[in-house]
C-alpha cells in the first residue's frame, strides 16, 4: 500500500502543497471542532509514542466549559534507545506534522502549540523552523488561518537531552522552565497542563497521521491495520539485519514479514536469538516467540511484550544478554530523575548487580535479587521510567537465565560470545 507518512520529496512546502498538502486543514476548518474530533475517534488512531492511548478520546478530555488558554504540545523528545522514527519523519515530511498540529489545535480550541524537540536534534530543529516559516508565510499557521477566523501560533522548543522529558508531565515542567521531573496525576494535562491550562500532548507520528484521516475519513483509516490497532505504523529496525531503517507498514504485519521482506533478513552468518519489539523499555521476546507474533498492540500484549514506540531491536546469537542488559541498566540509571526512591535506588542496584555478573564476581543469589528488585520497582513510581527497566530485566532473567547463571559461575555465556557494546 502507499505510504501515508513517509513520502518521498515532500520536505519543502511547494512539493507538499503540490501533493495535496494543507487541503485537509482547509477541510477541517470548514467543520465544527467536535466533528473533527469525532472523525479522529472513528479512525481508531492511537498514540504512537508508546502508550497507545486513543488520540480522539484524549482530545475530547479537554473540558468544554474551560475558559482561558488551551495548549497543544507535540512530544518530539525521541530518546527511547532503539527509536528513531520521529526523527526520520521530521526530516522527510515536516509539514505533515505542522498541518496535523494546526488541525488538532482547531479541534481542541488551542491558540498556541509547541513542538518540544530533543536537544540533540539540531538539524531537525533547524528544518522545522524553516518549515514553520514557510507555513506561516502562506497563512497555514498564525493569525486568521485561511480567513477562517482561527488563530494558531506554533513554535519549537529545544530540550536539553534528558530522557525523562519524554514523559509528558516532565516535558511540561521543562517547557515551563523548570527541571524536567514528572508530576503526580491527577490532575491530568487535559485539565491542568501547560501553565496550569488544559493541554493535549501527542507524539510526532500521531499528529502527522491526522491530515490523511481528515482527507480520506476516519472509516478509511480504521480499515487499515488489525482491528483496534488501526492504520500504519513506523517501525524502526536496528541490529544485524541486511537493511536496517524505518519502515511504514500496516499494524498487524508479522515480525517475519518485516524482517524478511522489508529488512532483507538477517546478515550472512547471523541467526536470530531474540527481539525487543517496541524500544528498550519493552520485554524481550525469544526468536521462537518473535517468529510467531504480529506487530500490533493486542498481539504483542498477548505475547507478554508491548508495541511501545515500534522500535524493533534485533538480537543475534553472538550477543551476550547479560552485557546487553547491563548497557540498558546503565542508561536508565543515568536518566532517572531521582524523584522516586524505587526508581532512584532500584536502577542503581540493578546496574551494580549486572556489573558484578559481567565481571565474573557475581553469585547465583544475585540473579534472584535482580529479579526481585525489578519486581519491587513496578507500578510504584510517579512515571513509568522504573517500569522501563524493570520489565526488560524480568523478561531477560526469565528467558535467558542460563546466561546469567553462566556469568554467576564465572563462565562465558552458553552459546554466546562476551561482546563489548560501544555506546
Amino acid at each position: 500500500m502507499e505510504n501515508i507518512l513517509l513520502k518521498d520529496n515532500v520536505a519543502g512546502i511547494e512539493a507538499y502543497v503540490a501533493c495535496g498538502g494543507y487541503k485537509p486543514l482547509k477541510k477541517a476548518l470548514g467543520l465544527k471542532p467536535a466533528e473533527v474530533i469525532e472523525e479522529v475517534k472513528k479512525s481508531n488512531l492511537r498514540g504512537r509514542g508508546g502508550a497507545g492511548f486513543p488520540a480522539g478520546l484524549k482530545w475530547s478530555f479537554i473540558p468544554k466549559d474551560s475558559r482561558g488558554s488551551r495548549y497543544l504540545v507535540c512530544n518530539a523528545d525521541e530518546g527511547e534507545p532503539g527509536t528513531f522514527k520521529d526523527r526520520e519523519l521530521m526530516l522527510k515530511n515536516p509539514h505533515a506534522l505542522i498541518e496535523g498540529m494546526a488541525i488538532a489545535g482547531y479541534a481542541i480550541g488551542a491558540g498556541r502549540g509547541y513542538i518540544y524537540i530533543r536537544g540533540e536534534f539540531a538539524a531537525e530543529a533547524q528544518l522545522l523552523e524553516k518549515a514553520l516559516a514557510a507555513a506561516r508565510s502562506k497563512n497555514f499557521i498564525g493569525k486568521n488561518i485561511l480567513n477562517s477566523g482561527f488563530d494558531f501560533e506554533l513554535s519549537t522548543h529545544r530540550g536539553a537531552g534528558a530522557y525523562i522529558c519524554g514523559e509528558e508531565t516532565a516535558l511540561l515542567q521543562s517547557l515551563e522552565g523548570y527541571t524536567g521531573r514528572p508530576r503526580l496525576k491527577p490532575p491530568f494535562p487535559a485539565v491542568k497542563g501547560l501553565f496550569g491550562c488544559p493541554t493535549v500532548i501527542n507524539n510526532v507520528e500521531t499528529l502527522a497521521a491526522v491530515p490523511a484521516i481528515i482527507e480520506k475519513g476516519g472509516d478509511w483509516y480504521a480499515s487499515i491495520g488489525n482491528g483496534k490497532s488501526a492504520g500504519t505504523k513506523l517501525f524502526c529496525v536496528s541490529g544485524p539485519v541486511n537493511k536496517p531503517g524505518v519502515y511504514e507498514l500496516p499494524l498487524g504485519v508479522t515480525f517475519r514479514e518485516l524482517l524478511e521482506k522489508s529488512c532483507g533478513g538477517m546478515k550472512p552468518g547471523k541467526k536470530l536469538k531474540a527481539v525487543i519489539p517496541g524500544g528498550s523499555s519493552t520485554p524481550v521476546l525469544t526468536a521462537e516467540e518473535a517468529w510467531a507474533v504480529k506487530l500490533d498492540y493486542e498481539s504483542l500484549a498477548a505475547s507478554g511484550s508491548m508495541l511501545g514506540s515500534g522500535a524493533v531491536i534485533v538480537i543475534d546469537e553472538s550477543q551476550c544478554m547479560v552485557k546487553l542488559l547491563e548497557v540498558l541498566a546503565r542508561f536508565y540509571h543515568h536518566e532517572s530523575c531521582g524523584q522516586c526512591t524505587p526508581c532512584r535506588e532500584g536502577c542503581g542496584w540493578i546496574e551494580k548487580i549486572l556489573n558484578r555478573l559481567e565481571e565474573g564476581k557475581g553469585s547465583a543469589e544475585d540473579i534472584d535479587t535482580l529479579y526481585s528488585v525489578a519486581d519491587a520497582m513496578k507500578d510504584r513510581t510517579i512515571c513509568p521510567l522504573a517500569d522501563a527497566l524493570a520489565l526488560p530485566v524480568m523478561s531477560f532473567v526469565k528467558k535467558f537465565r542460563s546466561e546469567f547463571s553462566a556469568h554467576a559461575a564465572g563462565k562465558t555465556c552458553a552459546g554466546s560470545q562476551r561482546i563489548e557494546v560501544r555506546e
Side-chain angles (χ1 to χ4, degrees):
M1 63 168 289
E2 182 183 352
N3 283 355
I4 296 171
L5 300 173
L6 291 182
K7 297 182 178 181
D8 293 328
N9 304 316
V10 291
I13 194 165
E14 292 81 7
Y16 185 75
V17 170
C19 292
Y22 290 107
K23 286 183 179 178
L25 173 60
K26 186 175 182 179
K27 180 180 178 181
L29 294 174
L31 302 172
K32 295 178 180 179
E35 292 175 324
V36 176
I37 293 176
E38 189 58 32
E39 207 64 40
V40 176
K41 282 184 177 179
K42 283 165 56 178
S43 74
N44 288 333
L45 174 66
R46 295 169 68 169
R48 303 302 199 226
F53 193 83
L57 184 59
K58 178 183 272 194
W59 296 4
S60 70
F61 288 161
I62 296 287
K64 295 178 176 57
D65 58 350
S66 67
R67 297 181 179 181
S69 299
R70 299 178 182 183
Y71 294 99
L72 174 68
V73 178
C74 172
N75 186 344
D77 190 71
E78 187 174 48
E80 177 88 351
T83 310
F84 45 91
K85 44 95 177 178
D86 289 342
R87 182 186 185 196
E88 188 82 353
L89 188 51
M90 287 185 284
L91 286 171
K92 289 188 174 179
N93 199 1
H95 286 283
L97 170 60
I98 294 169
E99 184 177 15
M101 290 194 72
I103 293 170
Y106 172 71
I108 67 170
R112 180 78 182 173
Y114 295 95
I115 302 172
Y116 185 99
I117 186 167
R118 190 164 186 80
E120 292 90 339
F121 291 171
E124 292 78 4
Q126 291 174 2
L127 190 150
L128 277 174
E129 289 289 352
K130 290 180 181 178
L132 286 169
R136 192 173 288 108
S137 71
K138 294 185 179 295
N139 196 220
F140 294 134
I141 56 173
K143 299 289 185 181
N144 190 25
I145 295 174
L146 300 178
N147 297 315
S148 66
F150 171 58
D151 300 338
F152 184 68
E153 295 294 339
L154 183 57
S155 58
T156 61
H157 181 94
R158 297 281 297 277
Y163 172 74
I164 194 66
C165 289
E167 194 278 333
E168 62 179 15
T169 61
L171 185 155
L172 293 179
Q173 284 284 102
S174 175
L175 196 51
E176 291 175 358
Y178 301 106
T179 299
R181 285 186 168 182
R183 301 172 179 173
L184 282 169
K185 294 182 284 189
F188 291 92
V191 176
K192 187 177 180 181
L194 186 63
F195 307 122
C197 299
T199 304
V200 165
I201 307 160
N202 282 132
N203 171 260
V204 173
E205 185 183 353
T206 311
L207 290 162
V210 170
I213 291 169
I214 298 303
E215 178 189 7
K216 297 184 179 180
D219 291 333
W220 164 80
Y221 192 83
S223 70
I224 303 167
N226 188 23
K228 292 181 180 179
S229 294
T232 63
K233 180 77 186 75
L234 299 184
F235 295 99
C236 33
V237 186
S238 58
V241 299
N242 284 312
K243 294 189 293 181
V246 181
Y247 299 93
E248 182 176 0
L249 296 167
L251 280 165
V253 66
T254 64
F255 168 74
R256 183 181 293 274
E257 185 176 349
L258 173 65
L259 179 62
E260 295 184 346
K261 291 186 178 180
S262 298
C263 301
M266 301 291 290
K267 285 186 175 180
K270 299 292 185 180
K271 184 178 180 182
L272 185 69
K273 177 179 184 177
V275 176
I276 302 175
S280 65
S281 62
T282 58
V284 69
L285 299 177
T286 64
E288 184 179 5
E289 291 170 329
W291 285 127
V293 79
K294 290 183 178 179
L295 299 175
D296 61 61
Y297 296 99
E298 289 73 31
S299 298
L300 280 165
S303 75
S305 190
M306 297 181 289
L307 179 66
S309 61
V312 180
I313 303 172
V314 177
I315 303 163
D316 75 279
E317 288 195 335
S318 69
Q319 176 63 60
C320 168
M321 301 302 281
V322 178
K323 180 62 182 179
L324 177 54
L325 189 59
E326 182 194 31
V327 171
L328 296 182
R330 188 185 311 144
F331 171 82
Y332 286 106
H333 182 206
H334 180 268
E335 295 297 335
S336 173
C337 75
Q339 186 175 196
C340 302
T341 301
C343 182
R344 181 184 67 247
E345 300 301 322
C347 289
W349 197 354
I350 285 172
E351 186 187 1
K352 286 179 183 177
I353 293 172
L354 289 166
N355 289 160
R356 284 203 302 268
L357 288 169
E358 180 60 23
E359 292 169 2
K361 299 176 182 178
S363 66
E365 289 75 16
D366 278 335
I367 304 171
D368 292 328
T369 302
L370 197 62
Y371 190 92
S372 64
V373 170
D375 192 33
M377 291 165 60
K378 283 196 312 170
D379 304 320
R380 290 175 172 85
T381 51
I382 293 174
C383 88
L385 191 144
D387 294 49
L389 177 58
L391 293 175
V393 167
M394 295 171 75
S395 66
F396 272 56
V397 172
K398 275 184 181 179
K399 297 177 182 181
F400 298 96
R401 190 178 183 101
S402 63
E403 295 194 21
F404 290 84
S405 297
H407 277 261
K411 302 175 183 178
T412 57
C413 297
S416 297
Q417 299 174 14
R418 299 280 290 278
I419 296 176
E420 288 295 322
V421 179
R422 294 184 179 179
E423 296 179 281

